[in-house]
Amino acid sequence: KKECLHVANQVATMAMDPKKLKACVKEGGKMGVELIGNFDLGGPEFFTTKAEAPEGDHDLLKALMDAANKEIDPTEEESKGGSAFVGKMFLAAGDEKLVLLAYCPVGENSAENKAAGKCNASEWLKGVLDKIPDGKGVFLSGDAFNAKGEIVADKVAGRFPLKDRDECQSASVGWLKTKGLFPEAEEEDDWQPDEDAGIEW
């Protein structure tokens, strides 16, 4: 089964535009460092943020997520990734749709892996998509640790990916608050990433 998944991932990677893939890996690596840096300083354990480079493509968004979660290579001049202990939902808007990808940390809960076991990725994503009217939010697949969905643009009904992204951002924060996973008391003083990190609440 693992071999099949490996082959499937290789095929998906080969089908992606090399330039776009490189941009996604770069964005994901940078976001991962920003997220784990804040997490290690006692920041929120779960984030919802936009991802620009994938432009509404599921495979590219997955590549970005993998880059964000990849273990930091100490031999590299610039740190990249390292945020596997941080729960996150990435929202990538394209011309035709908004794609969403949720990730929750794997493994036993510990002082280091403190977000593990606190949130189910599929429940989180469904909680966000359920807020989109007329059943436009579609849950595609998922388990406790990874889940993906999408909202296809409907210009006649006034549904646009960028607008949906903002709605999903708010819906996700709202859902996390109901589960006690968003630090309400610190909202006004929240850590803010570098402007070019692509992270926003």
Side-chain angles (χ1 to χ4, degrees):
K1 189 174 180 181
K2 285 185 178 179
E3 288 181 1
C4 290
L5 285 172
H6 180 65
V7 171
N9 287 335
Q10 282 187 321
V11 171
T13 301
M14 289 170 63
M16 286 185 266
D17 181 303
K19 286 185 178 179
K20 289 184 178 180
L21 177 59
K22 184 178 180 180
C24 289
V25 170
K26 182 178 180 180
E27 183 180 359
K30 186 164 187 175
M31 289 167 72
V33 170
E34 293 280 347
L35 290 171
I36 195 62
N38 180 56
F39 177 83
D40 286 343
L41 292 172
E45 298 167 7
F46 295 89
F47 287 86
T48 306
T49 183
K50 66 181 179 182
E52 298 285 3
E55 297 179 338
D57 183 279
H58 285 289
D59 291 332
L60 288 172
L61 184 58
K62 177 66 166 60
L64 186 148
M65 179 72 80
D66 289 344
N69 288 335
K70 181 184 175 185
E71 190 172 340
I72 293 176
D73 184 348
T75 65
E76 290 187 339
E77 192 173 321
E78 183 182 356
S79 295
K80 300 168 189 171
S83 66
F85 289 151
V86 185
K88 45 197 166 290
M89 184 180 293
F90 289 156
L91 313 171
D95 292 333
E96 302 299 324
K97 61 188 174 183
L98 174 75
V99 298
L100 306 89
L101 186 61
Y103 164 85
C104 290
V106 180
E108 295 293 320
N109 187 280
S110 65
E112 185 180 32
N113 195 14
K114 58 188 178 182
K118 293 184 179 180
C119 181
N120 180 297
S122 291
E123 291 178 3
W124 183 8
L125 183 57
K126 287 176 180 177
V128 171
L129 293 172
D130 284 348
K131 296 294 184 181
I132 303 301
D134 304 320
K136 294 293 184 181
V138 180
F139 180 87
L140 296 173
S141 63
D143 53 28
F145 308 107
N146 298 277
K148 69 176 183 177
E150 66 181 26
I151 305 170
V152 177
D154 185 348
K155 294 173 183 177
V156 175
R159 297 221 66 85
F160 299 92
L162 287 176
K163 181 180 177 183
D164 287 331
R165 187 181 71 186
D166 291 342
E167 287 189 25
C168 288
Q169 179 95 20
S170 298
S172 180
V173 170
W175 188 89
L176 290 171
K177 283 181 179 179
T178 66
K179 303 297 179 181
L181 299 174
F182 193 88
E184 294 188 66
E186 301 171 14
E187 269 186 80
E188 292 185 8
D189 300 318
D190 272 337
W191 160 84
Q192 292 295 323
D194 292 342
E195 287 185 7
D196 60 352
I199 300 170
E200 59 181 36
W201 296 102

